[in-house]
Each structure stands twice: as structure tokens, then as C-alpha cells.
Amino acid sequence: MAADRTTDVTGATVNIAERRLASRAFADLFAEGMALVEEAAAYLDGTGRVESRDLSRPALTAYAQQSMRLSTRLMQLAAWLLLQRAVNEGDMRPQDARRESAKIDIEGPPRDEEQEELLPTTLRELVRRGYDLQRQIQRIDEGLARGAAPHAAPERAGNAVASQIGRLRTAFER
């Protein structure tokens, strides 16, 4: 069985990523992600602008590119987080959120660590934290994708209830 799934007492498959979305851990991840968006925006509109004035030409090019990438990455991740929160709060069905999240690019462009070395320390740290958030979200999203296909509880001799629950779950998830 995949590491992102387990079985409950009825023998039904439980997607750990789905459970995590309904947990305090997701609320913390959501708060962390939104705080990072605000922090990055405040830096780029304030201190970052001032710091960028003193950069060499190659560092200024790196600053421009990396600040755009960071802003784009964080907006995509925030959109994903908001979709998942909408599901948690009952404002959106999980299948609708999966369809909408397919439009979100949580992969983004590849990391350019050479260019990151040219950045002011604060921006470099924001970029690193953005990638950390991205990795966490990607792990959850991959777990959700693996659990998106309906799967019934395994058939067991003498456990007709678990079998029927599995069939109902499959019918309603379609």
C-alpha cells in the first residue's frame, strides 16, 4: 500500500493527504503560506526596492527575475491553499477543487541557485521559504491526486457491511 494511504477499521482505504487537509496541520500550513505572501509583498514593495538600488547589473537582473518568480510561485500556492480551504469549509466540492487546482501551476520554473546567490539576504531567504512551502504543497497535492480515483474497500468474506460501504463510496465519488 502506498505511503499516502492507510486502511481504517472497516478496511476502507483512507487517503492521508485528504485527512491532512482537514487537520490543524493544514490550518497551520495555510496561515504560513498566507503570511509568506504578505511578507514577500511587503519586502518587494519596501525594503527590497531600496536594497535593489545598490545591486550590480547581474545581481539586479537576478533580483528582477527572482522577485517575479517568487511572486508568481506564491500566488499559485496561495490559490491552491484557498481552494483546499474552500473544500474544508464546505464552500466547494472536492472534485470541483481538483478540477480547478489542475489549472494551478504548483511546479513552476526550475530553481536557479546560482542566481539566488546574487540576491540580497532577505530575498534569498524568502525564495528559500517559498520553495519549502511549494514542496509541502506538492506532497499533499500528489497524495490527493493518487487518492482521486474512486476505490472500494477490499472484499472480505463475512464482512458484507464493509463491502457495501465500499460500493456506496465508489458510487458517490463518481
Side-chain angles (χ1 to χ4, degrees):
M1 182 155 299
D4 60 336
R5 292 191 211 148
T6 189
T7 55
D8 66 12
V9 294
T10 67
T13 301
V14 175
N15 185 307
I16 295 170
E18 288 174 1
R19 289 278 172 101
R20 181 164 189 227
L21 289 177
S23 74
R24 179 71 194 155
F26 175 74
D28 292 344
L29 181 66
F30 182 88
E32 174 190 338
M34 292 303 147
L36 183 57
V37 168
E38 288 180 24
E39 185 180 345
Y43 170 79
L44 293 171
D45 286 341
T47 308
R49 248 177 236 228
V50 174
E51 288 179 348
S52 70
R53 292 181 191 144
D54 297 329
L55 296 175
S56 67
R57 190 166 200 78
L60 186 57
T61 300
Y63 181 94
Q65 186 172 24
Q66 289 300 316
S67 62
M68 268 193 322
R69 284 183 173 185
L70 175 64
S71 297
T72 302
R73 179 180 320 104
L74 292 178
M75 288 300 106
Q76 295 291 316
L77 298 176
W80 187 93
L81 288 166
L82 287 165
L83 280 174
Q84 303 316 316
R85 186 178 75 172
V87 171
N88 285 348
E89 293 179 353
D91 295 331
M92 181 177 266
R93 296 180 314 163
Q95 59 269 34
D96 294 336
R98 280 193 297 274
R99 189 174 48 254
E100 290 301 315
S101 70
K103 300 173 188 174
I104 298 171
D105 179 12
I106 61 170
E107 297 296 321
R111 193 166 184 176
D112 187 341
E113 292 182 44
E114 238 179 81
Q115 200 178 57
E116 289 172 33
E117 288 301 316
L118 301 173
L119 301 175
T121 304
T122 304
L123 181 55
R124 189 175 331 134
E125 181 61 18
L126 288 168
V127 168
R128 183 198 61 76
R129 289 171 50 208
Y131 279 113
D132 289 347
L133 178 66
Q134 180 180 14
R135 276 190 297 279
Q136 290 178 64
I137 288 175
Q138 285 172 327
R139 279 194 301 267
I140 296 169
D141 193 65
E142 289 165 4
L144 291 171
R146 283 192 289 270
H151 35 272
E155 296 273 341
R156 291 187 180 164
N159 194 346
V161 173
S163 174
Q164 290 301 315
I165 290 172
R167 287 185 184 138
L168 286 171
R169 181 176 289 116
T170 300
F172 283 109
E173 288 179 344
R174 286 191 181 146

